[in-house]
Amino acid sequence: MNYRRLGNTGVKVSTVSLGSWLTYGGYVANENAVNTILKAYDLGINFFDTANVYMRGEAEKVVGKAIKSFPRESIVLSTKVFFPMGDGPNDHGLSRKHIMEQANASLKRLDVDYIDLYYCHRFDTETPVEETLRAFDDLIHQGKVNYIGVSEWTAAQITEAAHIADQKLLNHFVANQSQYSMLYRNIEDEVIPASAAHGVSQVCWSPLAQGVLTGKYTSLDNIPAGSRAAEKKGGILRFLTEENLNKVSELKKIAAELEITMAELALAWILRQENVASVVVGASNPDQIADNAKAADITLDTETINQIETILNN
């Protein structure tokens, strides 16, 4: 396993991390989830991601149970706040009230004394950025949070937050959890440059385009039973097009030449970006995380990257 610094901090995270969206706390048996987390740790993965909204807190409980056997200082634990956790007018967003209440609730569900990385799960158009930053800053000073981040913020929003933090002498965001893959490259033109300028790393989710980049989907007429596409979970259908399947078919040839899996190729391609600290993978069993973790040790040469670029741009 390899490790990279998270933003402009001194903390290092594994370049492959384990997430719990669409998996733990509901879709995957708790025993499998716990065994997968244990296997990830054995492989050198030290970065574990969840969110309060995943199964309305159940995923946090599963993660908390699994990490109990690890020395707390040996892992970097992240969770998030923003999406509704109730039906009331203050049960969502990034107000000070909601942030403080949900931070304490997450700590209780995870059964830990502190969160390493606490994300704004999305941007809140109804709350001043300064209010959000001050709440996060207070959590850091209270010892409940070590670092703060955002998810799916634009370049302009990341820049605004950095300027406010500078002006008000508040702690800065150090990570942006962004969707990024061979089939979804929206962050390249603006978000990555702005993030790099302000000491913010990317932590990339859906790096396999919700399974399309594993190569298991070969035709729109032959969807495997029980797969995410068959069950229409997580928005996979927007990636499942003839054009994308043709690209994956060509990319498989490169993977075969390198004697790696299609998933390893897709993850290694993301890690070519210096601004990327980690790729967040989902795994429903120990074998899956073992396969994905291998990508951490793969470095693609310039020729291979150029070949991939030609395929993706066709």
Side-chain angles (χ1 to χ4, degrees):
M1 183 54 59
N2 291 313
Y3 304 87
R4 293 183 181 177
R5 287 177 57 207
L6 187 68
N8 275 350
T9 77
V11 72
K12 293 182 179 179
V13 296
S14 51
T15 53
V16 175
S17 48
L18 182 61
S20 56
W21 177 57
L22 287 180
T23 48
Y24 305 154
Y27 293 120
V28 174
N30 286 357
E31 182 179 357
N32 269 356
V34 170
N35 287 337
T36 302
I37 293 171
L38 295 176
K39 180 63 175 181
Y41 185 78
D42 287 343
L43 293 166
I45 290 174
N46 73 342
F47 196 11
F48 298 91
D49 179 74
T50 188
N52 63 345
V53 74
Y54 297 164
M55 293 296 173
R56 284 287 178 96
E58 291 305 310
E60 286 183 323
K61 293 178 182 177
V62 173
V63 172
K65 177 182 177 181
I67 65 173
K68 269 298 175 187
S69 61
F70 310 153
R72 180 64 184 88
E73 67 276 9
S74 69
I75 64 169
V76 179
L77 178 64
S78 64
T79 191
K80 312 177 189 73
V81 59
F82 172 80
F83 286 110
M85 291 296 286
D87 299 325
N90 293 309
D91 289 337
H92 66 277
L94 297 176
S95 68
R96 179 183 182 85
K97 175 177 173 62
H98 188 62
I99 288 170
M100 292 301 189
E101 291 170 350
Q102 286 305 309
N104 288 325
S106 287
L107 287 168
K108 184 175 181 180
R109 285 189 293 264
L110 290 162
D111 195 19
V112 294
D113 295 326
Y114 64 92
I115 297 161
D116 289 293
L117 176 59
Y118 200 31
Y119 289 105
C120 302
H121 209 160
R122 290 295 185 272
F123 185 80
D124 186 353
T125 59
E126 298 184 343
T127 302
V129 174
E130 183 178 341
E131 177 180 344
T132 298
L133 276 168
R134 287 196 180 278
F136 273 77
D137 191 72
D138 284 345
L139 287 171
I140 291 175
H141 287 293
Q142 291 170 9
K144 295 179 179 179
V145 169
N146 284 335
Y147 305 101
I148 55 177
V150 300
S151 179
E152 292 297 318
W153 282 30
T154 66
Q157 290 162 352
I158 290 169
T159 300
E160 178 189 4
H163 289 163
I164 291 173
D166 282 338
Q167 293 166 2
K168 305 297 182 179
L169 301 180
L170 302 171
N171 277 282
H172 280 249
F173 293 125
V174 301
N176 176 40
Q177 190 167 116
S178 50
Q179 183 174 184
Y180 186 49
S181 72
M182 288 176 165
L183 303 180
Y184 191 90
R185 304 176 63 175
N186 294 19
I187 64 172
E188 289 182 345
D189 292 339
E190 296 183 1
V191 172
I192 285 180
S195 297
H198 297 294
V200 176
S201 287
Q202 306 306 308
V203 177
C204 300
W205 63 276
S206 197
L208 300 178
Q210 300 196 32
V212 174
L213 287 168
T214 63
K216 69 179 177 181
Y217 301 105
T218 57
S219 168
L220 295 179
D221 299 322
N222 186 26
I223 303 299
S227 67
R228 188 176 295 178
E231 298 179 9
K232 299 180 180 180
K233 291 194 303 187
I236 187 176
L237 297 184
R238 66 185 173 127
F239 294 114
L240 205 58
T241 65
E242 287 288 359
E243 180 183 1
N244 284 342
L245 291 180
N246 289 336
K247 290 178 180 180
V248 172
S249 178
E250 292 300 310
L251 291 167
K252 279 183 178 179
K253 298 175 184 177
I254 295 178
E257 291 174 2
L258 297 174
E259 298 183 340
I260 60 177
T261 67
M262 184 58 218
E264 289 169 345
L265 180 71
L267 297 175
W269 178 85
I270 292 175
L271 291 170
R272 84 198 189 288
Q273 291 274 9
E274 291 183 1
N275 187 242
V276 172
S278 187
V279 290
V280 185
V281 299
S284 56
N285 61 66
D287 289 340
Q288 285 184 350
I289 192 60
D291 289 340
N292 288 335
K294 295 175 184 176
D297 297 320
I298 298 170
T299 300
L300 303 178
D301 61 30
T302 302
E303 181 182 354
T304 300
I305 291 172
N306 289 339
Q307 289 176 332
I308 291 171
E309 197 68 22
T310 300
I311 293 170
L312 296 179
N313 287 332
N314 282 342

